[in-house]
Amino acid sequence: MSTHDLYTIPAELSTWDVEAAGAARFTWEYDDGRDRMLALYQKGKDKQWDSVKRIDWSLEVDPYNVLGIPDTTIAIHGTPLWDRMDDRQRQDIRLHGAAWQFSQFLHGEQGAMICSARIVESVPDLDSKFYAATQTMDEARHAETYARFLQEKVGLAYPINEHLKALLDSTLSDSRWDMPYLGMQVLIEGLALAAFGVMRDITTKPLPKQILAYVMQDEARHVAFGRMALRDYYSQLTEAELREREDFVIEGCYLMRDRLRGRETWESVGLNRSEVAEAMECVDRSEYLKLFRSLLFSRIVPCVKDIGLWSPRLQQAYADMGVLDMAGQSLDTLMRQDEEIADRIDAERFAVEEAERHAEVAETVAMGAES
């Protein structure tokens, strides 16, 4: 089945062409490299995995309750609009919400794959080229995984959100080699990583939990890569150059915040114009979504501060968004937890499989003894 058959609204074109600017940079220094970056590159090689084998695709998913979370997380729950709906309409709301969210994850991962390939091409240091090459493979695997999840388990998809598309356009069309780092590694990946984490921690369904945990294990390295490269580079920039990067971050964060409203989902479930407006008011007032949006910046804000973009005007922008207090989050602690959770899920899965194998052997031996 073509993915275009799954889209709720038509995708504009079969491909989207972004006119990329900037130079492809070769380096003839093959022996010099930062120890930290080379260690991250080694870890990137060691941690490669196969989504066909590591993920248990035999697990069933209810498309009308993909994550197995309560309806209280839906913005319109408990409102007159929700009360007017029948069971079928509520099922559609659950299905479309999950399909939209995972579709944006999928499109973001393809964007990350292209951005990391762009970093391989444009970054001047060979150690960064090495690591970005492993990340390109990671992102391909993530896109493969989310595409299969949507096609086989959800059965519905959404085109790329206009706000995510705008940020990817700005990131890829800039000629400066550090902008794919800033747009993708810090903003898009940082927000996605936080979104994955919230869903990983609240889902009661084993398949999405596996997918989110394993993807996050990779993404933690990617954000570390961006921090490392940009922190070294931004320490050398002038005030004017830093201000240009801060302008990009501020605009990008507003785009990412607005992306989360998901207007197109409400327009796709059969609501009329006034009902869509009513739903959007609920989205803006929802206490759960306010908390969710705030948590989504838990990876971005401390990373932006860490790489050296922390002027009063940038802090004021985060204060206006209500996420300034996220600057105190420890990225190293969060990323260590991401690694540990993925490893624990693996250990639990393998323990169950081992117990099942032992039970099968014991049953076979017992049958043989009876014979």
Side-chain angles (χ1 to χ4, degrees):
M1 178 185 291
S2 167
T3 304
H4 283 268
D5 296 329
L6 302 181
Y7 283 131
T8 57
I9 49 181
E12 294 176 359
L13 299 167
S14 59
T15 60
W16 171 42
D17 298 338
V18 178
E19 294 298 327
R25 293 178 175 85
F26 286 77
T27 177
W28 311 125
E29 177 53 79
Y30 291 99
D31 297 319
D32 189 29
R34 291 160 288 187
D35 290 341
R36 293 172 302 154
M37 189 69 77
L38 293 175
L40 196 63
Y41 169 55
Q42 184 63 48
K43 191 171 186 180
K45 292 188 293 181
D46 293 341
K47 291 288 187 176
Q48 294 290 323
W49 49 276
D50 185 345
S51 67
V52 175
K53 298 177 180 178
R54 194 181 190 193
I55 293 171
D56 184 359
W57 291 103
S58 68
L59 292 167
E60 294 298 323
V61 171
D62 179 359
Y64 296 106
N65 192 8
V66 171
L67 296 174
I69 56 178
D71 288 341
T72 51
T73 60
I74 300 174
I76 65 170
H77 180 266
T79 68
L81 178 59
W82 177 263
D83 294 339
R84 294 196 301 269
M85 292 181 173
D86 58 27
D87 288 342
R88 179 64 187 179
Q89 289 174 303
R90 292 175 181 176
Q91 280 191 327
D92 285 343
I93 294 293
R94 298 183 192 104
L95 170 61
H96 281 257
W100 180 84
Q101 188 68 269
F102 279 93
S103 294
Q104 302 318 311
F105 291 167
L106 168 60
H107 302 315
E109 296 295 350
Q110 184 184 177
M113 178 176 65
I114 292 170
C115 283
S116 52
R118 181 86 175 116
I119 291 171
V120 174
E121 177 186 39
S122 62
V123 70
D125 307 306
L126 191 66
D127 52 7
S128 293
K129 291 181 185 292
F130 283 166
Y131 181 77
T134 69
Q135 181 178 342
T136 305
M137 185 60 220
D138 288 345
E139 307 297 6
R141 180 170 59 250
H142 300 169
E144 171 202 354
T145 300
Y146 283 126
R148 181 173 180 179
F149 184 70
L150 283 166
Q151 290 165 346
E152 295 185 6
K153 303 299 183 178
V154 179
L156 197 67
Y158 274 81
I160 187 170
N161 175 268
E162 60 178 337
H163 299 101
L164 176 58
K165 189 175 183 180
L167 183 52
L168 279 170
D169 196 354
S170 297
T171 298
L172 287 167
S173 59
D174 198 297
S175 62
R176 293 167 292 189
W177 67 261
D178 64 296
M179 299 312 284
Y181 278 104
L182 190 57
M184 178 52 66
Q185 309 287 76
V186 176
L187 299 184
I188 297 175
E189 293 268 62
L191 184 136
L193 192 55
F196 298 164
V198 172
M199 292 189 171
R200 176 200 63 193
D201 294 342
I202 65 174
T203 183
T204 59
K205 303 296 184 179
L207 181 56
K209 183 179 283 290
Q210 284 180 26
I211 291 172
L212 292 163
Y214 296 155
V215 169
M216 287 186 72
Q217 192 174 39
D218 293 339
E219 301 290 10
R221 296 193 305 275
H222 303 166
V223 174
F225 172 45
R227 287 170 65 199
M228 196 179 302
L230 294 181
R231 188 168 50 210
D232 291 347
Y233 180 57
Y234 286 174
S235 65
Q236 308 166 28
L237 297 187
T238 65
E239 288 296 323
E241 290 170 327
L242 290 174
R243 185 181 179 87
E244 291 175 353
R245 272 72 176 178
E246 289 180 346
D247 288 340
F248 181 86
V249 167
I250 292 170
E251 181 183 356
C253 284
Y254 278 118
L255 283 171
M256 289 294 91
R257 185 195 63 176
D258 293 341
R259 177 182 80 80
L260 300 170
R261 301 179 77 231
R263 183 184 183 90
E264 56 267 45
T265 61
W266 305 105
E267 295 173 337
S268 299
V269 294
L271 302 185
N272 60 40
R273 182 175 298 179
S274 64
E275 288 173 330
V276 170
E278 188 178 350
M280 294 308 297
E281 290 177 5
C282 295
V283 168
D284 292 336
R285 291 197 309 265
S286 168
E287 291 301 320
Y288 170 78
L289 289 181
K290 286 179 183 177
L291 175 61
F292 183 69
R293 283 192 289 268
S294 176
L295 290 173
L296 292 185
F297 284 87
S298 63
R299 311 281 181 136
I300 294 177
V301 177
C303 188
V304 168
K305 181 180 180 181
D306 183 66
I307 62 179
L309 301 179
W310 201 240
S311 69
R313 55 193 291 273
L314 184 55
Q315 294 179 52
Q316 184 58 54
Y318 283 143
D320 293 342
M321 294 180 208
V323 297
L324 182 60
D325 59 342
M326 291 296 173
Q329 292 284 333
S330 169
L331 286 173
D332 292 333
T333 299
L334 291 171
M335 293 175 185
R336 187 163 55 250
Q337 290 172 351
D338 296 338
E339 290 269 6
E340 292 170 353
I341 289 171
D343 289 340
R344 186 166 67 246
I345 289 175
D346 271 343
E348 290 170 354
R349 283 184 57 206
F350 295 147
V352 170
E353 292 172 5
E354 187 69 19
E356 290 173 349
R357 283 195 292 269
H358 283 303
E360 289 174 3
V361 170
E363 184 179 354
T364 303
V365 170
M367 291 174 61
E370 291 174 2
S371 299

